Amino acid sequence: MKGSLIIIVFFILGIVCGFFHLLPSPISDSSVSMGALCALIFCVGVSIGSDSRVFQTLCHTDPRLFLLPLCTLVGTLTGCLGVSLLLPEISLTDSLAIGSGFGYYSLSSIFITEYRGAALGTVALLSNIVRELITLLGAPLLARWFGPLAPISVGGATSMDTTLPIITLYSGKDFVTLSIAHGFLMDFSVPFLVSFFCELA
């Protein structure tokens, strides 16, 4: 949770700096955001590539359990469809793009800002932070009411890192491998799905 609060603080600082023009104008240029995005993706790749446990985890996971990421994807996008019906001011493609972040707020919000503007990027950031917070705070109830797979699914892309400790605590150590594999696959899908929905008219 501390990491999420730090992200929110920096986000608010960015708004204040932008509103009062406290930083040089080139920093707000879209090319700077794209450069930061590329650096972020590179760091994620280095992190995954240097952690041998990720590949060992994928090799030893029961293939049938890979249906969980598919269920997370279908459930999230179905929920986004419902949101677009309840909030007509948000188009279906925008809603699907936001939901396709799967909790990976740092990456998805930059993509959406690049494609659709800062306003929707802000919505994506907050939406995905809320998803992570729901997992961190609601894992005990999710595991009790819906079973041990529920916190993993709700955690989305974060189930391999920030929400993994809380998932392990309430879903059990037997689900650590699945949680990491689930997070890895959801992580991997974010740039493709977000850019796909953003590019749709």
Side-chain angles (χ1 to χ4, degrees):
M1 183 188 294
K2 182 180 178 182
S4 298
L5 294 176
I6 291 172
I7 293 292
I8 293 172
V9 168
F10 273 95
F11 174 67
I12 293 171
L13 284 174
I15 291 175
V16 171
C17 289
F19 184 79
F20 291 105
H21 306 287
L22 300 177
L23 299 173
S25 57
I27 290 182
S28 62
D29 185 25
S30 62
S31 61
V32 175
S33 297
M34 184 54 73
L37 172 62
C38 292
L40 177 63
I41 293 174
F42 176 77
C43 290
V44 170
V46 169
S47 175
I48 292 172
S50 63
D51 190 350
S52 60
R53 293 176 303 169
V54 172
F55 299 104
Q56 291 173 1
T57 295
L58 291 174
C59 291
H60 292 93
T61 300
D62 185 343
R64 293 175 297 178
L65 293 177
F66 284 109
L67 288 174
L68 182 62
L70 178 63
C71 292
T72 299
L73 190 150
V74 171
T76 299
L77 298 185
T78 301
C80 293
L81 172 62
V83 168
S84 69
L85 295 175
L86 293 172
L87 302 173
E89 62 271 17
I90 298 180
S91 70
L92 175 59
T93 53
D94 286 349
S95 181
L96 291 171
I98 291 169
S100 295
F102 301 113
Y104 198 167
Y105 45 78
S106 55
L107 182 63
S108 62
S109 59
I110 294 175
F111 262 109
I112 292 172
T113 298
E114 287 291 323
Y115 280 101
R116 297 294 178 90
L120 199 67
T122 301
V123 173
L125 175 69
L126 296 175
S127 172
N128 285 289
I129 286 176
V130 166
R131 181 171 187 153
E132 181 178 325
L133 290 175
I134 288 173
T135 308
L136 290 170
L137 300 175
L141 297 177
L142 290 168
R144 185 186 308 163
W145 292 344
F146 304 106
L149 297 180
I152 300 173
S153 185
V154 174
T158 69
S159 67
M160 69 179 290
D161 43 57
T162 55
T163 62
L164 182 59
I166 201 77
I167 288 171
T168 304
L169 180 61
Y170 291 102
S171 295
K173 293 183 179 179
D174 293 341
F175 292 92
V176 171
T177 298
L178 175 60
S179 185
I180 294 173
H182 174 268
F184 175 79
L185 291 173
M186 302 314 297
D187 234 9
F188 187 74
S189 71
V190 169
F192 300 103
L193 288 175
V194 171
S195 57
F196 171 74
F197 289 123
C198 283
E199 287 175 350
L200 291 178

mmCIF file of all heavy atoms in Angstrom, residues 4-30:
data_model
loop_
_atom_site.group_PDB
_atom_site.id
_atom_site.type_symbol
_atom_site.label_atom_id
_atom_site.label_comp_id
_atom_site.label_asym_id
_atom_site.label_seq_id
_atom_site.Cartn_x
_atom_site.Cartn_y
_atom_site.Cartn_z
ATOM 1 N N SER A 4 1.668 2.437 -3.453
ATOM 2 C CA SER A 4 0.549 3.112 -4.119
ATOM 3 C C SER A 4 0.398 4.547 -3.634
ATOM 4 O O SER A 4 0.125 5.460 -4.418
ATOM 5 C CB SER A 4 -0.751 2.338 -3.856
ATOM 6 O OG SER A 4 -0.671 1.048 -4.393
ATOM 7 N N LEU A 5 0.582 4.758 -2.334
ATOM 8 C CA LEU A 5 0.471 6.107 -1.786
ATOM 9 C C LEU A 5 1.576 7.006 -2.328
ATOM 10 O O LEU A 5 1.346 8.187 -2.612
ATOM 11 C CB LEU A 5 0.527 6.060 -0.257
ATOM 12 C CG LEU A 5 -0.661 5.366 0.427
ATOM 13 C CD1 LEU A 5 -0.436 5.296 1.929
ATOM 14 C CD2 LEU A 5 -1.963 6.104 0.125
ATOM 15 N N ILE A 6 2.766 6.452 -2.488
ATOM 16 C CA ILE A 6 3.873 7.228 -3.055
ATOM 17 C C ILE A 6 3.539 7.645 -4.479
ATOM 18 O O ILE A 6 3.787 8.794 -4.891
ATOM 19 C CB ILE A 6 5.184 6.412 -3.006
ATOM 20 C CG1 ILE A 6 5.645 6.246 -1.553
ATOM 21 C CG2 ILE A 6 6.281 7.088 -3.831
ATOM 22 C CD1 ILE A 6 6.819 5.302 -1.381
ATOM 23 N N ILE A 7 2.970 6.715 -5.260
ATOM 24 C CA ILE A 7 2.585 7.018 -6.638
ATOM 25 C C ILE A 7 1.558 8.150 -6.664
ATOM 26 O O ILE A 7 1.652 9.083 -7.476
ATOM 27 C CB ILE A 7 2.008 5.768 -7.336
ATOM 28 C CG1 ILE A 7 3.099 4.715 -7.524
ATOM 29 C CG2 ILE A 7 1.384 6.119 -8.675
ATOM 30 C CD1 ILE A 7 4.171 5.088 -8.505
ATOM 31 N N ILE A 8 0.559 8.081 -5.779
ATOM 32 C CA ILE A 8 -0.473 9.114 -5.727
ATOM 33 C C ILE A 8 0.136 10.468 -5.376
ATOM 34 O O ILE A 8 -0.215 11.494 -5.970
ATOM 35 C CB ILE A 8 -1.572 8.729 -4.714
ATOM 36 C CG1 ILE A 8 -2.344 7.503 -5.214
ATOM 37 C CG2 ILE A 8 -2.531 9.890 -4.481
ATOM 38 C CD1 ILE A 8 -3.320 6.935 -4.207
ATOM 39 N N VAL A 9 1.066 10.479 -4.416
ATOM 40 C CA VAL A 9 1.714 11.738 -4.017
ATOM 41 C C VAL A 9 2.469 12.352 -5.196
ATOM 42 O O VAL A 9 2.349 13.558 -5.468
ATOM 43 C CB VAL A 9 2.673 11.501 -2.823
ATOM 44 C CG1 VAL A 9 3.566 12.717 -2.599
ATOM 45 C CG2 VAL A 9 1.877 11.187 -1.565
ATOM 46 N N PHE A 10 3.214 11.530 -5.928
ATOM 47 C CA PHE A 10 3.952 12.046 -7.073
ATOM 48 C C PHE A 10 3.005 12.520 -8.175
ATOM 49 O O PHE A 10 3.280 13.503 -8.872
ATOM 50 C CB PHE A 10 4.922 10.991 -7.615
ATOM 51 C CG PHE A 10 6.256 11.008 -6.928
ATOM 52 C CD1 PHE A 10 6.508 10.163 -5.859
ATOM 53 C CD2 PHE A 10 7.248 11.881 -7.336
ATOM 54 C CE1 PHE A 10 7.730 10.180 -5.211
ATOM 55 C CE2 PHE A 10 8.480 11.912 -6.688
ATOM 56 C CZ PHE A 10 8.725 11.062 -5.630
ATOM 57 N N PHE A 11 1.899 11.821 -8.331
ATOM 58 C CA PHE A 11 0.893 12.224 -9.320
ATOM 59 C C PHE A 11 0.336 13.607 -8.975
ATOM 60 O O PHE A 11 0.241 14.482 -9.833
ATOM 61 C CB PHE A 11 -0.227 11.182 -9.362
ATOM 62 C CG PHE A 11 -1.380 11.562 -10.232
ATOM 63 C CD1 PHE A 11 -1.238 11.649 -11.606
ATOM 64 C CD2 PHE A 11 -2.622 11.828 -9.670
ATOM 65 C CE1 PHE A 11 -2.310 12.005 -12.410
ATOM 66 C CE2 PHE A 11 -3.691 12.182 -10.462
ATOM 67 C CZ PHE A 11 -3.538 12.268 -11.835
ATOM 68 N N ILE A 12 0.003 13.813 -7.707
ATOM 69 C CA ILE A 12 -0.519 15.109 -7.263
ATOM 70 C C ILE A 12 0.540 16.197 -7.426
ATOM 71 O O ILE A 12 0.245 17.315 -7.878
ATOM 72 C CB ILE A 12 -1.010 15.023 -5.804
ATOM 73 C CG1 ILE A 12 -2.242 14.108 -5.722
ATOM 74 C CG2 ILE A 12 -1.346 16.409 -5.255
ATOM 75 C CD1 ILE A 12 -2.678 13.777 -4.312
ATOM 76 N N LEU A 13 1.794 15.880 -7.092
ATOM 77 C CA LEU A 13 2.879 16.840 -7.293
ATOM 78 C C LEU A 13 3.018 17.223 -8.762
ATOM 79 O O LEU A 13 3.267 18.389 -9.098
ATOM 80 C CB LEU A 13 4.197 16.258 -6.781
ATOM 81 C CG LEU A 13 4.406 16.232 -5.269
ATOM 82 C CD1 LEU A 13 5.698 15.500 -4.924
ATOM 83 C CD2 LEU A 13 4.422 17.641 -4.695
ATOM 84 N N GLY A 14 2.838 16.233 -9.648
ATOM 85 C CA GLY A 14 2.900 16.504 -11.087
ATOM 86 C C GLY A 14 1.798 17.453 -11.531
ATOM 87 O O GLY A 14 2.036 18.364 -12.337
ATOM 88 N N ILE A 15 0.597 17.244 -10.995
ATOM 89 C CA ILE A 15 -0.522 18.139 -11.324
ATOM 90 C C ILE A 15 -0.219 19.563 -10.862
ATOM 91 O O ILE A 15 -0.420 20.537 -11.604
ATOM 92 C CB ILE A 15 -1.827 17.630 -10.680
ATOM 93 C CG1 ILE A 15 -2.266 16.331 -11.349
ATOM 94 C CG2 ILE A 15 -2.926 18.682 -10.793
ATOM 95 C CD1 ILE A 15 -3.473 15.692 -10.699
ATOM 96 N N VAL A 16 0.279 19.690 -9.631
ATOM 97 C CA VAL A 16 0.600 21.017 -9.076
ATOM 98 C C VAL A 16 1.676 21.700 -9.913
ATOM 99 O O VAL A 16 1.557 22.883 -10.267
ATOM 100 C CB VAL A 16 1.047 20.894 -7.600
ATOM 101 C CG1 VAL A 16 1.588 22.222 -7.089
ATOM 102 C CG2 VAL A 16 -0.115 20.420 -6.735
ATOM 103 N N CYS A 17 2.732 20.939 -10.249
ATOM 104 C CA CYS A 17 3.819 21.514 -11.052
ATOM 105 C C CYS A 17 3.336 21.931 -12.438
ATOM 106 O O CYS A 17 3.731 22.982 -12.951
ATOM 107 C CB CYS A 17 4.963 20.506 -11.193
ATOM 108 S SG CYS A 17 5.886 20.225 -9.670
ATOM 109 N N GLY A 18 2.471 21.119 -13.038
ATOM 110 C CA GLY A 18 1.930 21.466 -14.344
ATOM 111 C C GLY A 18 0.994 22.653 -14.294
ATOM 112 O O GLY A 18 1.030 23.537 -15.160
ATOM 113 N N PHE A 19 0.161 22.701 -13.263
ATOM 114 C CA PHE A 19 -0.821 23.790 -13.134
ATOM 115 C C PHE A 19 -0.149 25.136 -12.938
ATOM 116 O O PHE A 19 -0.549 26.149 -13.502
ATOM 117 C CB PHE A 19 -1.773 23.490 -11.979
ATOM 118 C CG PHE A 19 -2.880 24.495 -11.828
ATOM 119 C CD1 PHE A 19 -3.986 24.439 -12.659
ATOM 120 C CD2 PHE A 19 -2.810 25.487 -10.865
ATOM 121 C CE1 PHE A 19 -5.013 25.365 -12.536
ATOM 122 C CE2 PHE A 19 -3.823 26.409 -10.729
ATOM 123 C CZ PHE A 19 -4.940 26.358 -11.565
ATOM 124 N N PHE A 20 0.904 25.137 -12.113
ATOM 125 C CA PHE A 20 1.599 26.400 -11.812
ATOM 126 C C PHE A 20 2.832 26.622 -12.696
ATOM 127 O O PHE A 20 3.588 27.560 -12.466
ATOM 128 C CB PHE A 20 2.010 26.431 -10.334
ATOM 129 C CG PHE A 20 0.849 26.537 -9.391
ATOM 130 C CD1 PHE A 20 0.437 25.429 -8.656
ATOM 131 C CD2 PHE A 20 0.140 27.725 -9.245
ATOM 132 C CE1 PHE A 20 -0.653 25.515 -7.785
ATOM 133 C CE2 PHE A 20 -0.937 27.807 -8.377
ATOM 134 C CZ PHE A 20 -1.341 26.712 -7.646
ATOM 135 N N HIS A 21 3.015 25.752 -13.705
ATOM 136 C CA HIS A 21 4.127 25.888 -14.661
ATOM 137 C C HIS A 21 5.474 25.995 -13.935
ATOM 138 O O HIS A 21 6.278 26.885 -14.217
ATOM 139 C CB HIS A 21 3.912 27.106 -15.568
ATOM 140 C CG HIS A 21 2.594 27.094 -16.271
ATOM 141 N ND1 HIS A 21 2.315 26.231 -17.315
ATOM 142 C CD2 HIS A 21 1.464 27.821 -16.062
ATOM 143 C CE1 HIS A 21 1.073 26.434 -17.736
ATOM 144 N NE2 HIS A 21 0.535 27.381 -16.986
ATOM 145 N N LEU A 22 5.693 25.064 -13.008
ATOM 146 C CA LEU A 22 6.912 25.090 -12.208
ATOM 147 C C LEU A 22 8.089 24.403 -12.904
ATOM 148 O O LEU A 22 9.234 24.531 -12.457
ATOM 149 C CB LEU A 22 6.661 24.418 -10.846
ATOM 150 C CG LEU A 22 5.574 25.060 -9.968
ATOM 151 C CD1 LEU A 22 5.376 24.251 -8.696
ATOM 152 C CD2 LEU A 22 5.946 26.504 -9.632
ATOM 153 N N LEU A 23 7.809 23.669 -13.981
ATOM 154 C CA LEU A 23 8.855 22.955 -14.700
ATOM 155 C C LEU A 23 8.984 23.493 -16.120
ATOM 156 O O LEU A 23 8.012 24.049 -16.667
ATOM 157 C CB LEU A 23 8.540 21.453 -14.744
ATOM 158 C CG LEU A 23 8.453 20.744 -13.389
ATOM 159 C CD1 LEU A 23 7.973 19.315 -13.564
ATOM 160 C CD2 LEU A 23 9.805 20.754 -12.687
ATOM 161 N N PRO A 24 10.154 23.317 -16.745
ATOM 162 C CA PRO A 24 10.318 23.773 -18.139
ATOM 163 C C PRO A 24 9.306 23.090 -19.057
ATOM 164 O O PRO A 24 8.993 21.912 -18.884
ATOM 165 C CB PRO A 24 11.754 23.354 -18.486
ATOM 166 C CG PRO A 24 12.432 23.169 -17.174
ATOM 167 C CD PRO A 24 11.382 22.749 -16.198
ATOM 168 N N SER A 25 8.806 23.812 -20.045
ATOM 169 C CA SER A 25 7.759 23.281 -20.932
ATOM 170 C C SER A 25 8.165 22.021 -21.693
ATOM 171 O O SER A 25 7.306 21.175 -21.961
ATOM 172 C CB SER A 25 7.310 24.361 -21.919
ATOM 173 O OG SER A 25 8.413 24.845 -22.667
ATOM 174 N N PRO A 26 9.448 21.834 -22.080
ATOM 175 C CA PRO A 26 9.783 20.588 -22.803
ATOM 176 C C PRO A 26 9.483 19.317 -22.034
ATOM 177 O O PRO A 26 9.296 18.251 -22.615
ATOM 178 C CB PRO A 26 11.302 20.736 -23.052
ATOM 179 C CG PRO A 26 11.556 22.193 -23.026
ATOM 180 C CD PRO A 26 10.591 22.750 -22.019
ATOM 181 N N ILE A 27 9.421 19.401 -20.695
ATOM 182 C CA ILE A 27 9.156 18.206 -19.892
ATOM 183 C C ILE A 27 7.746 17.675 -20.137
ATOM 184 O O ILE A 27 7.493 16.479 -20.042
ATOM 185 C CB ILE A 27 9.380 18.516 -18.391
ATOM 186 C CG1 ILE A 27 10.867 18.722 -18.141
ATOM 187 C CG2 ILE A 27 8.848 17.401 -17.499
ATOM 188 C CD1 ILE A 27 11.241 18.990 -16.718
ATOM 189 N N SER A 28 6.817 18.579 -20.468
ATOM 190 C CA SER A 28 5.438 18.155 -20.728
ATOM 191 C C SER A 28 5.242 17.640 -22.144
ATOM 192 O O SER A 28 4.149 17.206 -22.505
ATOM 193 C CB SER A 28 4.471 19.320 -20.465
ATOM 194 O OG SER A 28 4.759 20.387 -21.346
ATOM 195 N N ASP A 29 6.301 17.681 -22.949
ATOM 196 C CA ASP A 29 6.216 17.202 -24.326
ATOM 197 C C ASP A 29 5.952 15.696 -24.333
ATOM 198 O O ASP A 29 6.481 14.949 -23.504
ATOM 199 C CB ASP A 29 7.523 17.525 -25.047
ATOM 200 C CG ASP A 29 7.466 17.175 -26.527
ATOM 201 O OD1 ASP A 29 6.364 17.133 -27.085
ATOM 202 O OD2 ASP A 29 8.536 16.923 -27.103
ATOM 203 N N SER A 30 5.154 15.233 -25.302
ATOM 204 C CA SER A 30 4.787 13.808 -25.353
ATOM 205 C C SER A 30 5.996 12.908 -25.596
ATOM 206 O O SER A 30 6.001 11.748 -25.200
ATOM 207 C CB SER A 30 3.739 13.568 -26.438
ATOM 208 O OG SER A 30 4.258 13.911 -27.714
#
